[in-house]
Amino acid sequence: MEGHGDSLALPTLITRVARERFQRTDVVMPKTPMRITRSRFSANFDDYSKALQLLAPQCDGILVVLDSDDDDPATLRSSLESRAQQLVGHVPVRVAPAVREYEAWLIASIPEMAGQLTLPADATYSGSAESVRGAKGAFKKLTTNRVYSETVDQKKFTAILDITATESRSPSFAQFIQLLGELL
């Protein structure tokens, strides 16, 4: 995971999906996932490689979640999984890029979350959540009362996100669920 808010929200998301979709309550993971900024995933830096080599001996599987930003998610996934295979081929590694940003997954669940936390009851979003460039900003505009803060709010919204609705509206979220299932 790359952002502070993402890394705080991800354990909640993984725990919920494991329990609600796969009936697994035995998933053990760090309270706060290892966080690497997106620029440090580059082949020019070795933070991604170091993280995989550090995690592999203590894991049955590794799930990498990151924002695809403007990169093609399929190419990004393929590249990072290929690098992982070369480094820690004995441990399954799955890469689940959120198309654009993690907040696109939250936007996909807006109708079900409307009226909760800082979303007004009439909150809506038209169009594809994954086509939004600047999903974080788009999500901020939908909240009321105060400014949306990734580190404060992302975990709270993740806790109430509708998994089934988000999966149906966000292909990258559906892929995240599939890849998590492969590791479980």
Side-chain angles (χ1 to χ4, degrees):
M1 203 72 253
E2 55 178 315
H4 289 288
D6 302 340
S7 65
L8 294 171
L10 194 59
T12 299
L13 183 60
I14 290 173
T15 301
R16 285 192 61 215
V17 171
R19 183 184 65 241
E20 294 173 28
R21 183 55 57 89
F22 300 106
Q23 293 71 51
R24 294 285 303 269
T25 57
D26 59 338
V27 176
V28 178
M29 54 183 275
K31 191 169 193 161
T32 303
M34 187 171 286
R35 192 180 78 75
I36 303 171
T37 59
R38 177 65 192 278
S39 63
R40 305 302 285 194
F41 275 84
S42 165
N44 297 328
F45 299 104
D46 61 359
D47 290 9
Y48 176 64
S49 301
K50 285 179 184 177
L52 291 174
Q53 291 171 332
L54 178 69
L55 291 170
Q58 53 192 327
C59 295
D60 293 328
I62 299 171
L63 179 64
V64 178
V65 180
L66 72 160
D67 297 342
S68 68
D69 296 324
D70 290 326
D71 291 332
D72 175 64
T75 302
L76 181 62
R77 177 176 176 228
S78 176
S79 170
L80 293 176
E81 284 185 355
S82 176
R83 284 173 60 194
Q85 179 64 34
Q86 293 170 4
L87 291 165
V88 293
H90 60 288
V91 175
V93 176
R94 300 294 181 269
V95 178
V99 171
R100 304 288 185 193
E101 298 172 280
Y102 185 99
E103 281 81 3
W105 293 351
L106 298 179
I107 288 172
S109 192
I110 291 278
E112 291 73 25
M113 295 190 303
Q116 299 180 65
L117 300 173
T118 58
L119 283 175
D122 61 350
T124 60
Y125 192 85
S126 60
S128 167
E130 292 192 351
S131 67
V132 180
R133 180 65 182 115
K136 189 181 318 313
F139 192 76
K140 283 181 184 182
K141 288 179 184 176
L142 293 168
T143 61
T144 60
N145 300 330
R146 63 180 184 78
V147 176
Y148 166 79
S149 166
E150 297 167 61
T151 55
V152 173
D153 298 319
Q154 202 166 0
K155 181 177 178 179
K156 292 176 185 177
F157 280 106
T158 297
I160 64 169
L161 166 128
D162 185 299
I163 292 169
T164 302
T166 304
E167 180 182 23
S168 72
R169 295 183 191 122
S170 170
S172 69
F173 187 78
Q175 183 179 60
F176 161 81
I177 291 175
Q178 175 193 338
L179 296 172
L180 177 58
E182 290 175 12
L183 292 173
L184 296 176

